[in-house]
């Protein structure tokens, strides 16, 4: 399907306020993440939320799946408040959300948004009653709701009905096309029902998550043409490592380029022992490399070739990237505009000096078989040549000095 949206244009979605964060409308795309702790463990959950927020997550979703977890949500919020962390928390409800929101009013109040999956709210008359209860609680506590339809838990009654109707057509559509339409219809019909109950459009976010790149692009291009609700993007199970990163950026990059999407989540499966915060970093870098937002200075570095058999420039690039990320929480609070700083760490004389001059701060190492001797360029001008074994530490100090001198204090 062709898109009616131009590159980087913001579509006319309704703005939704989630705690202190506004998404949709003309506001920047918001980065969301999700905890993988047992929510009943308030200490572990609050700690991970704080880590995700420190990494740059602007919304954090938590599982609220039983009474034990619902009973701890208010405590988690209190612990975060004591840490000085005010990131909005989204409650993820399946099957029993109507009961938990009713029985634990302090949970309903502490959450900044509710996520409802229409495929997991019950069947028949119970489905209508339980969905209605959740929407009524959102109205009572003035909370926005994400109506999140999922490929793996699609309303089977709706799907069966649409498949049956499709089979009777003179030229039936492919089953995948019917499923895609069922996702969209489920989201739109439930949003309309929420409005009929009394939830305003500026309290509704929609998502239609699938696990395939082309299917996600197709679904969201279609639904974006058929509504003005704020849209949450994400592959439902992106995967692990490079596969998850590539799949997420391939799918969401196409949609974001067309101005589709108001909040994103990169659903990475963590590597064994890996950091949960990696999904936040990938989401930020996706938006930043596309020119949609700036979160932290990014380091340009050459890939290396036969001229760069020394690992000095690789180690330096890694050291500088790690230093910038570790300092960014402090810089963000102290300096205005530092997230837009550009850095370059180059490995040889072919493109090194030129690339270094284009960055705010750049360093160009000499290449193969030579003693480290690296000119440093600041704002396009060579300022010093670093030599010896302490190049990394000296270059980090140059970066720190540049930040404190260049960017205005808040």
């Amino acid at each position: 399907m062709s898109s009616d949206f131009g590159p980087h244009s913001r579509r006319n979605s309704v703005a939704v306020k989630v705690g202190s964060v506004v998404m949709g409308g003309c506001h920047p795309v918001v980065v969301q993440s999700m905890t993988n702790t047992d929510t009943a463990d308030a200490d572990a959950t609050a700690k991970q939320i704080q880590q995700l927020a420190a990494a740059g997550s602007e919304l954090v979703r938590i599982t609220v799946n039983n009474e034990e977890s619902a009973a701890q949500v208010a405590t988690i919020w209190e612990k975060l408040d004591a840490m000085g962390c005010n990131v909005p928390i989204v409650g993820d409800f399946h099957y029993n959300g109507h009961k938990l929101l009713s029985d634990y009013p302090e949970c309903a109040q502490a959450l900044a948004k509710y996520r409802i999956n229409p495929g997991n709210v019950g069947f028949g008359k119970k489905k209508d009653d339980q969905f209605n209860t959740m929407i009524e609680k959102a109205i009572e506590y003035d909370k926005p709701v994400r109506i999140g339809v999922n490929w793996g838990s699609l309303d089977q009654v709706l799907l069966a009905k649409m498949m049956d109707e499709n089979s009777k057509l003179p030229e039936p559509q492919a089953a995948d096309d019917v499923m895609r339409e069922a996702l969209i219809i489920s989201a739109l019909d439930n949003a309309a029902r929420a409005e009929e109950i009394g939830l305003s459009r500026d309290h509704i976010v929609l998502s239609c998550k699938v696990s395939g790149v082309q299917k996600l692009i197709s679904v969201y291009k279609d639904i974006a043409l058929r509504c003005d609700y704020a849209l949450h993007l994400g592959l439902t199970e992106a995967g692990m490592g490079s596969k998850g990163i590539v799949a997420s950026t391939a799918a969401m990059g196409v949609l974001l380029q067309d101005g589709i999407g108001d909040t994103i989540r990169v659903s990475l499966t963590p590597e064994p022992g890996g950091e949960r915060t990696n999904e936040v970093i990938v989401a930020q870098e996706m938006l930043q490399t596309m020119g949609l937002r700036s979160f932290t200075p990014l380091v340009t570095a050459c890939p290396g070739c036969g001229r760069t058999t020394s690992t000095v420039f690789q180690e330096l690039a890694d050291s500088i990237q790690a230093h910038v990320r570790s300092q960014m929480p402090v810089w963000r609070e102290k300096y205005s505009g530092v997230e837009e700083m550009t850095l370059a760490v180059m490995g040889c004389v072919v493109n090194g000096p030129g690339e270094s001059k284009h960055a705010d701060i750049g360093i160009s190492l000499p290449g193969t078989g030579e003693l480290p001797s690296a000119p440093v360029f600041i704002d396009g001008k060579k300022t010093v040549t670093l030599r010896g074994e302490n190049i990394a530490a000296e270059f980090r100090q140059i970066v720190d000095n540049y930040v404190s001198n260049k960017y205005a204090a808040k």
Side-chain angles (χ1 to χ4, degrees), residues 3 19 47 49 65 82 99 104 110 118 149 174 179 184 192 212 228 241 257 279 298 303 310 320 323 352:
S3 172
K47 180 180 178 181
I49 291 172
N65 61 327
K99 182 171 178 13
Y104 293 89
V149 184
M179 276 192 86
I184 295 169
D228 62 356
Q257 180 73 8
E279 68 175 60
L298 295 181
S310 167
I320 290 300
H323 179 68

Side-chain angles (χ1 to χ4, degrees), residues 293-316:
R293 291 191 65 182
S294 294
F295 296 96
T296 188
L298 295 181
V299 177
T300 297
C302 69
C305 66
R307 297 183 182 88
T308 56
T309 55
S310 167
T311 61
V312 174
F313 89 93
Q314 297 164 316
E315 294 162 358
L316 179 58

Side-chain angles (χ1 to χ4, degrees), residues 1-307:
M1 176 179 293
S2 63
S3 172
D4 287 354
F5 308 108
H8 293 322
S9 64
R10 298 297 296 139
R11 68 182 191 85
N12 189 29
S13 58
V14 176
V16 178
K17 193 170 189 295
V18 185
S20 57
V21 174
V22 182
M23 52 179 286
C26 60
H27 293 88
V29 179
V30 171
V31 173
Q32 180 170 314
S33 61
M34 185 174 185
T35 60
N36 62 356
T37 56
D38 180 357
T39 306
D41 186 339
D43 287 333
T45 302
K47 180 180 178 181
Q48 190 173 84
I49 291 172
Q50 193 276 333
Q51 290 170 345
L52 291 165
S57 184
E58 294 158 303
L59 298 174
V60 178
R61 183 158 51 112
I62 63 174
T63 297
V64 188
N65 61 327
N66 52 37
E67 293 187 354
E68 291 77 13
S69 63
Q72 292 301 316
V73 170
T75 301
I76 290 166
W77 178 246
E78 290 169 2
K79 288 179 179 294
L80 290 170
D81 186 53
M83 296 179 195
C85 177
N86 63 354
V87 65
I89 306 174
V90 180
D92 193 50
F93 295 97
H94 296 269
Y95 310 113
N96 57 357
H98 62 290
K99 182 171 178 13
L100 297 177
L101 288 171
S102 299
D103 293 350
Y104 293 89
E106 64 280 5
C107 167
Q109 181 60 53
L111 293 169
K113 185 173 75 170
Y114 310 153
R115 186 274 175 115
I116 304 174
N117 183 340
N120 288 340
V121 294
F123 302 94
K125 187 176 183 303
K126 280 188 176 181
K127 174 182 177 180
D128 293 339
D129 291 344
Q130 291 170 188
F131 180 87
N132 292 354
T133 296
M134 296 185 76
I135 297 301
E136 287 164 359
K137 289 300 173 184
I139 295 168
E140 178 182 349
Y141 292 101
D142 193 25
K143 306 294 183 178
V145 168
R146 171 158 71 95
I147 297 173
V149 184
N150 194 297
W151 191 261
S153 53
L154 183 57
D155 183 334
Q156 293 302 300
V157 174
L158 173 65
L159 180 60
K161 176 176 178 290
M162 292 182 65
M163 286 290 190
D164 184 56
E165 291 172 350
N166 181 64
S167 68
K168 296 174 182 177
L169 295 175
E171 296 183 12
Q173 293 181 302
D176 271 5
D177 291 337
V178 178
M179 276 192 86
R180 185 188 73 181
E181 181 65 11
L183 280 166
I184 295 169
I185 291 298
S186 178
L188 294 178
D189 282 359
N190 280 284
R193 209 161 100 222
E195 285 198 66
E196 289 173 5
I197 296 168
L199 192 66
S200 60
R201 292 179 77 78
D202 64 357
H203 279 54
I204 298 174
V205 182
L206 299 186
S207 65
C208 292
K209 288 193 173 184
V210 299
S211 55
V213 170
Q214 293 297 341
K215 288 183 175 67
L216 191 83
I217 293 169
S218 180
V219 166
Y220 274 92
K221 282 192 173 184
D222 199 345
I223 196 170
L225 290 170
R226 293 160 67 174
C227 74
D228 62 356
Y229 295 111
L231 297 178
H232 170 85
L233 301 186
L235 288 171
T236 186
E237 290 100 12
M240 181 179 285
S242 60
K243 184 272 178 183
I245 294 171
V246 171
S248 294
T249 53
M252 287 190 274
V254 170
L255 294 167
L256 292 166
Q257 180 73 8
D258 276 349
I260 299 171
D262 301 293
T263 178
I264 64 172
R265 189 214 167 183
V266 178
S267 299
L268 289 182
T269 304
E271 302 280 359
E275 295 292 334
R276 189 69 171 179
T277 52
N278 286 345
E279 68 175 60
V280 179
I281 294 169
V282 173
Q284 288 182 328
E285 291 183 348
M286 184 194 315
L287 294 173
Q288 187 154 350
T289 54
M290 290 184 70
L292 296 175
R293 291 191 65 182
S294 294
F295 296 96
T296 188
L298 295 181
V299 177
T300 297
C302 69
C305 66
R307 297 183 182 88

